[in-house]
């Protein structure tokens, strides 16, 4: 004789019923009919209130311990991502968001959610209240305490720079800062002209170094770094960086006085410049150190090109454009009889300049 248990028999016959209400199939999830399942399962859990912190001084936002500069819409997205808990089996999730400002601290976030659980489509509406609290970010805390990590000293060699030239150099810091990713420590603590240059005191060593690299690449010259230990905090030495940038007073094409002769720098090298001598055919490389004693005698932007009215083998005559009187000049060493030459006023005298590649690319008034 063969005995069967009741449950076995029902199962074999395919006659399962909802565990909760006894309804016939179709059944979903853990053997429940659709309406029982929908009563027991939610697509998402959404908290009523969610806090967030904004710096009262500069407006940046704290996201899981980090201060970041993001828009309000990004704050809402972040709060939704962090606080919305979807059912583990939910698939094909879609989220629609609308916000309404209640007060300067409170914002309602309305959510339209959609998702599929066990092949059943769920659509739910939820809301949560974002409550903003004021804080003070690390940067503002440090700024308020005059915190700084690095000083960049802008200086020059060979020639004093004008205030405008310092301002142009300073402006490149903003370009560098924008090219780097956002960092709350990229602030300026203090800055201004000092005797013989311009100083910028800032919150980040990294920013100081990036700026130094930019300056040498664009304007030649050298950066010298000095680190000093100013104390200890939490068992770690606190160091500060001083970065001295010396911009050569000369630019490519200028006439400089160097080792008792006149030269024109024609290109930058890794540690100096290539120079071409003015009074005879000669080229030489010189390091920044070699060139420290050089003096700018005539900037390229002050050179003029004049037409020769008369010329013999060594001397040319032209109308001095500053006095409209005939003047003469010794012809450049590479002169080939052409009618126009480039001249520079140096120590009260006109000096003719040989041709350089850079001359062709520059326009002269
Ligand atoms: Zn049921
Ligand atoms: Zn702040």
């Amino acid at each position: 004789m063969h005995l069967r248990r009741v449950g076995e028999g029902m199962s074999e016959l395919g006659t399962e019923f909802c565990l909760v209400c006894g309804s016939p199939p179709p059944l979903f999830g853990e053997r429940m009919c659709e309406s029982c399942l929908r009563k027991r399962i939610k697509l998402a859990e959404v908290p009523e209130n969610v806090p967030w912190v904004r710096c009262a001084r500069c407006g940046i936002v704290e996201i899981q311990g980090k201060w970041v500069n993001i828009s309000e819409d990004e704050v809402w997205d972040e709060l939704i991502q962090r606080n919305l808990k979807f059912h583990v089996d939910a698939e094909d999730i879609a989220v629609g968001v609308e916000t309404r400002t209640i007060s300067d601290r409170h914002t309602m976030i309305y959510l339209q959610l959609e998702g599929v659980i066990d092949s059943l489509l769920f659509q739910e509406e939820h809301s949560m209240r974002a409550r903003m609290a004021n804080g003070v970010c690390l940067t503002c805390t440090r700024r308020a305490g005059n915190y700084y990590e690095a000083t960049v000293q802008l200086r020059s060699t060979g020639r004093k720079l004008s205030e405008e030239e310092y301002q142009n150099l300073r402006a490149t810091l903003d370009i560098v800062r924008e090219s780097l990713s956002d960092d709350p420590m990229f602030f300026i603590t203090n800055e201004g002209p000092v005797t013989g240059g311009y100083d910028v005191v800032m919150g980040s060593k990294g920013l100081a170094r990036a700026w130094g690299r930019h300056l040498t690449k664009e304007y030649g010259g050298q950066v010298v770094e000095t680190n000093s230990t100013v104390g200890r905090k939490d068992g770690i030495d606190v160091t500060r960086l001083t970065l001295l940038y010396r911009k050569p007073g000369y630019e490519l094409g200028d006439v400089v006085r160097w080792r008792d002769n006149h030269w024109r720098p024609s290109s930058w090298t890794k540690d100096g410049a290539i120079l071409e001598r003015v009074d005879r055919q000669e080229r030489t490389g010189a390091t920044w150190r070699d060139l420290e004693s050089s003096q700018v005698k005539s900037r390229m932007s002050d050179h003029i090109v004049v037409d020769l009215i008369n010329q013999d083998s060594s001397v040319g005559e032209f109308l001095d454009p500053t006095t409209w009187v005939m003047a003469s000049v010794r012809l450049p060493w590479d002169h080939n009889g052409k009618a126009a030459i480039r001249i520079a006023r140096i120590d009260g005298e006109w000096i003719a300049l040989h041709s350089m590649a850079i001359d062709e690319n520059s326009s002269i008034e």
Side-chain angles (χ1 to χ4, degrees):
M1 194 166 175
H2 188 70
L3 287 176
R4 279 183 179 175
R5 266 183 244 129
V6 177
E8 273 178 9
M10 287 177 72
S11 175
E12 273 172 25
L13 295 168
T15 49
E16 288 183 325
F17 298 99
C18 173
L19 286 181
V20 181
C21 69
S23 295
L27 300 181
F28 302 89
E30 287 159 24
R31 289 171 63 187
M32 279 185 277
C33 71
E34 180 175 343
S35 91
C36 287
L37 185 82
R38 285 190 185 279
K39 270 183 219 145
R40 258 142 239 269
I41 279 188
K42 274 196 161 182
L43 177 60
E45 299 281 346
V46 180
E48 218 173 298
N49 293 299
V50 288
W52 62 287
V53 180
R54 180 157 67 189
C55 175
R57 287 165 187 262
C58 72
I60 69 169
V61 174
E62 187 184 15
I63 301 290
Q64 293 179 307
K66 269 195 83 178
W67 290 94
V68 289
N69 190 5
I70 59 175
S71 69
E72 282 209 329
D73 282 343
E74 289 171 307
V75 173
W76 312 144
D77 282 349
E78 168 66 25
L79 290 177
I80 292 164
Q81 286 222 347
R82 207 192 312 160
N83 293 293
L84 225 58
K85 298 230 171 358
F86 282 97
H87 190 279
V88 284
D89 298 325
E91 292 172 324
D92 297 331
I93 293 166
V95 180
V97 181
E98 243 176 77
T99 59
R100 190 161 60 89
T101 306
I102 307 291
S103 69
D104 45 346
R105 281 169 181 260
H106 292 180
T107 302
M108 288 304 296
I109 302 174
Y110 299 102
L111 298 164
Q112 284 191 319
L113 309 178
E114 219 178 81
V116 175
I117 301 171
D118 279 322
S119 75
L120 290 174
L121 178 67
F122 282 68
Q123 288 175 314
E124 293 176 4
E125 288 191 358
H126 293 267
S127 63
M128 63 186 189
R129 182 190 290 260
R131 309 171 85 131
M132 190 266 285
N134 280 326
V136 182
C137 74
L138 188 65
T139 307
C140 287
T141 308
R142 289 183 164 179
R143 232 182 229 181
N146 271 327
Y147 177 91
Y148 71 96
E149 272 187 4
T151 303
V152 177
Q153 304 174 318
L154 303 179
R155 301 291 185 270
S156 67
T157 58
R159 177 177 67 85
K160 271 188 158 179
L161 302 184
S162 68
E163 201 178 307
E164 192 191 345
E165 285 177 293
Y166 276 117
Q167 274 165 15
N168 291 340
L169 287 179
R170 165 61 183 83
T172 64
L173 174 58
D174 298 330
I175 297 166
V176 170
R177 190 155 47 155
E178 275 161 31
S179 74
L180 298 169
S181 59
D182 221 13
D183 184 318
M185 296 313 290
F186 287 179
F187 60 81
I188 311 295
T189 308
N190 195 10
E191 67 178 304
V194 295
T195 309
Y198 192 95
D199 282 4
V200 184
V201 182
M202 59 187 80
S204 159
K205 290 177 190 173
L207 178 62
R209 290 198 174 102
W211 190 25
R213 283 193 297 273
H214 178 87
L215 288 169
T216 52
K217 202 172 129 231
E218 290 291 312
Y219 302 100
Q222 265 181 310
V223 160
V224 179
E225 275 195 16
T226 319
N227 278 288
S228 56
T229 305
V230 292
R232 276 175 83 79
K233 198 184 172 195
D234 304 328
I236 298 164
D237 282 345
V238 178
T239 61
R240 280 187 186 150
L241 171 72
T242 302
L243 203 144
L244 170 64
Y245 170 64
R246 282 195 187 280
K247 180 190 177 301
Y250 41 87
E251 273 155 36
L252 300 179
D254 289 353
V255 178
V256 300
R257 182 100 186 149
W258 179 59
R259 295 190 174 165
D260 298 328
N261 284 296
H262 291 129
W263 302 78
R264 297 180 72 195
S266 60
S267 62
W268 303 130
T269 62
K270 200 173 140 279
D271 41 30
I274 302 290
L275 302 167
E276 296 184 10
R277 191 157 154 180
V278 170
D279 65 346
R280 67 172 193 219
Q281 185 165 17
E282 187 179 338
R283 275 164 73 88
T284 188
T287 64
W288 302 120
R289 200 186 174 81
D290 291 339
L291 288 163
E292 265 172 26
S293 61
S294 68
Q295 254 191 316
V296 177
K297 299 305 264 184
S298 170
R299 301 185 64 191
M300 190 165 169
S301 52
D302 295 331
H303 300 169
I304 53 177
V305 171
V306 292
D307 290 325
L308 294 173
I309 291 162
N310 298 304
Q311 56 179 297
D312 63 20
S313 59
S314 62
V315 175
E317 287 188 314
F318 62 97
L319 208 52
D320 185 329
T322 60
T323 59
W324 301 111
V325 170
M326 283 290 268
S328 59
V329 66
R330 195 164 83 100
L331 292 167
W333 58 261
D334 65 343
H335 191 63
N336 56 7
K338 64 192 173 183
I341 57 168
R342 170 182 286 260
I343 57 174
R345 191 83 177 162
I346 292 172
D347 296 334
E349 274 180 59
W350 290 110
I351 290 185
L353 306 175
H354 67 284
S355 301
M356 299 203 321
I358 192 172
D359 297 339
E360 312 303 323
N361 304 323
S362 75
S363 58
I364 278 185
E365 293 297 309

